[in-house]
Amino acid sequence: MGYALGARVSGVDLSRPLDTDTVQQIKSAWTRHLVLVFPEQHLDPETLIAFTRHFGELDNYETQPFNRHPEHDEVMLLSNRPVNGKLPAGAYNGQNWHTDLSYTPRPAKATLVYCIQKPSVGGDTMFASMYAAYEALSPKMQAFLDDLEGVNDVSLISARRDPAILEAFKRLNPPVIHPAVRIHPESGKPALYVNDRVRTFVGMSDAESKPIIKFLCEHSQQPRFVYRHRWSVRDLVLWDNRCLTHLAVGDYDPSEIRHMIRTSTMGDYFGRFENPRSAETANTSAAATSTEVAQAASMLHD
Ligand SMILES: [Fe+2]
């Protein structure tokens, strides 16, 4: 569907159990094309969860409990459809370039989004190949980046976030360090892992880091590395967070509804906290405390 990435998959009904051969073909197409679009699917939370299991262990979103589906912890709502007259916390998520859950020690592997309702104009999602972005850098810059680690900071998540929710997010997710370049476990290829949510580089001052981060973000967001998905209702889109960044385009009329459901699987990669003591208090996806989650969620209803 794009020069750098993206493929459309037809002739498969994801609401039904799939045979091993079909799953294998989908996985192999996914590794090759990074974003797969399955049009005209008829999914609900249960069937979306069932299909997601083919791509690993489901995240139950303990690191961001605000946006969960009321009946399924593994399903996140990406929706501006008001609930009890209030805008949901996840209404305008993801409107800067990012890779899902990079602000946790165990970022997402696969993300799957199913479109239920879309605005009449706009609300696309853009994806950038971080393989292609890395490959296009000079060998000197690549070698420099290979040794760097970025501090991924949840406070950079979005400019349109409710301040109370952002505070809860920060409390649940202290800054996390990941390498600036990741080797994809399946393709074996290097991918840039720097995006709008990287605050600084370890061992460098902010003044030194910021121009490099700015350059890498602008570099990787060039149209030649990007596929822009124009949603249709009943599209299921599957993408790989280990070698892509993406952005939800905030270019639609906010009085029109954009309603999608999302699942993701846990990556096999582990980062570490910027402040090692954070590990004792942080609500990591592996060690969420129900009290913290309940307190954070209750802020929504104040
Ligand atoms: Fe996202």
Side-chain angles (χ1 to χ4, degrees), residues 11-144:
V12 60
D13 178 356
L14 303 181
S15 69
R16 301 166 67 92
L18 302 173
D19 61 60
T20 314
D21 187 46
T22 304
V23 171
Q24 210 38 57
Q25 285 187 51
I26 291 171
K27 283 185 177 173
S28 131
W30 185 47
T31 304
R32 206 158 57 245
H33 299 288
L34 323 185
V35 173
L36 296 184
V37 178
F38 301 81
E40 281 304 316
Q41 297 297 322
H42 295 270
L43 299 175
D44 55 23
E46 286 85 2
T47 47
L48 176 61
I49 288 170
F51 179 58
T52 304
R53 287 197 204 288
H54 293 299
F55 303 93
E57 178 191 344
L58 272 112
D59 196 329
N60 62 5
Y61 295 126
E62 284 176 340
T63 54
Q64 44 179 315
F66 331 99
N67 309 319
R68 285 164 163 167
H69 187 285
E71 286 144 35
H72 303 273
D73 285 352
E74 309 91 332
V75 175
M76 182 191 290
L77 296 174
L78 306 177
S79 178
N80 62 350
R81 187 185 284 171
V83 179
N84 299 329
K86 286 187 71 173
L87 204 58
Y92 299 109
N93 270 357
Q95 294 190 353
N96 59 1
W97 286 96
H98 67 282
T99 176
D100 287 337
L101 299 159
S102 66
Y103 49 82
T104 72
R106 196 176 175 190
K109 174 182 173 185
T111 294
L112 297 90
V113 172
Y114 181 62
C115 178
I116 296 169
Q117 192 174 353
K118 56 167 285 235
S120 54
V121 173
D124 298 352
T125 301
M126 295 166 75
F127 300 91
S129 167
M130 300 306 263
Y131 288 144
Y134 180 81
E135 204 179 315
L137 293 167
S138 66
K140 283 274 186 197
M141 182 55 111
Q142 289 176 344
F144 170 69

Side-chain angles (χ1 to χ4, degrees), residues 2-299:
Y3 167 65
L5 67 153
R8 184 190 294 112
V9 183
S10 53
V12 60
D13 178 356
L14 303 181
S15 69
R16 301 166 67 92
L18 302 173
D19 61 60
T20 314
D21 187 46
T22 304
V23 171
Q24 210 38 57
Q25 285 187 51
I26 291 171
K27 283 185 177 173
S28 131
W30 185 47
T31 304
R32 206 158 57 245
H33 299 288
L34 323 185
V35 173
L36 296 184
V37 178
F38 301 81
E40 281 304 316
Q41 297 297 322
H42 295 270
L43 299 175
D44 55 23
E46 286 85 2
T47 47
L48 176 61
I49 288 170
F51 179 58
T52 304
R53 287 197 204 288
H54 293 299
F55 303 93
E57 178 191 344
L58 272 112
D59 196 329
N60 62 5
Y61 295 126
E62 284 176 340
T63 54
Q64 44 179 315
F66 331 99
N67 309 319
R68 285 164 163 167
H69 187 285
E71 286 144 35
H72 303 273
D73 285 352
E74 309 91 332
V75 175
M76 182 191 290
L77 296 174
L78 306 177
S79 178
N80 62 350
R81 187 185 284 171
V83 179
N84 299 329
K86 286 187 71 173
L87 204 58
Y92 299 109
N93 270 357
Q95 294 190 353
N96 59 1
W97 286 96
H98 67 282
T99 176
D100 287 337
L101 299 159
S102 66
Y103 49 82
T104 72
R106 196 176 175 190
K109 174 182 173 185
T111 294
L112 297 90
V113 172
Y114 181 62
C115 178
I116 296 169
Q117 192 174 353
K118 56 167 285 235
S120 54
V121 173
D124 298 352
T125 301
M126 295 166 75
F127 300 91
S129 167
M130 300 306 263
Y131 288 144
Y134 180 81
E135 204 179 315
L137 293 167
S138 66
K140 283 274 186 197
M141 182 55 111
Q142 289 176 344
F144 170 69
L145 292 172
D146 288 345
D147 280 340
L148 275 188
E149 294 177 306
V151 178
N152 294 257
D153 192 332
V154 79
S155 55
L156 303 174
I157 191 165
S158 173
R160 295 176 72 174
R161 176 80 50 182
D162 179 317
I165 296 290
L166 184 57
E167 276 314 303
F169 244 110
K170 283 158 69 173
R171 196 168 48 80
L172 292 170
N173 299 283
V176 166
I177 294 169
H178 295 297
V181 178
R182 295 181 60 171
I183 305 299
H184 193 286
E186 280 146 42
S187 71
K189 293 198 298 186
L192 188 62
Y193 202 71
V194 176
N195 55 66
D196 289 347
R197 295 178 182 175
V198 172
R199 193 188 75 229
T200 194
F201 290 122
V202 175
M204 292 174 68
S205 67
D206 285 0
E208 292 167 329
S209 302
K210 290 221 179 307
I212 303 169
I213 293 168
K214 182 170 184 285
F215 161 72
L216 292 170
C217 290
E218 289 174 357
H219 166 76
S220 64
Q221 295 156 12
Q222 293 177 74
R224 62 179 165 144
F225 305 134
V226 169
Y227 163 64
R228 179 170 181 148
H229 185 62
R230 188 157 293 171
W231 290 92
S232 293
V233 170
R234 291 183 293 282
D235 278 350
L236 182 277
V237 176
L238 158 69
W239 71 81
D240 189 337
N241 288 288
R242 300 166 295 181
C243 52
L244 293 172
T245 54
H246 60 279
L247 162 142
V249 185
D251 62 347
Y252 52 96
D253 179 348
S255 70
E256 291 191 27
I257 300 300
R258 185 179 188 270
H259 184 76
M260 309 197 180
I261 53 174
R262 167 184 139 172
T263 50
S264 52
T265 62
M266 312 283 288
D268 53 7
Y269 179 82
F270 291 80
R272 67 181 197 278
F273 289 106
E274 182 184 30
N275 175 357
R277 288 178 56 206
S278 297
E280 297 158 20
T281 53
N283 181 5
T284 68
S285 45
T289 70
S290 55
T291 313
E292 278 178 312
V293 171
Q295 282 171 351
S298 74
M299 296 177 73

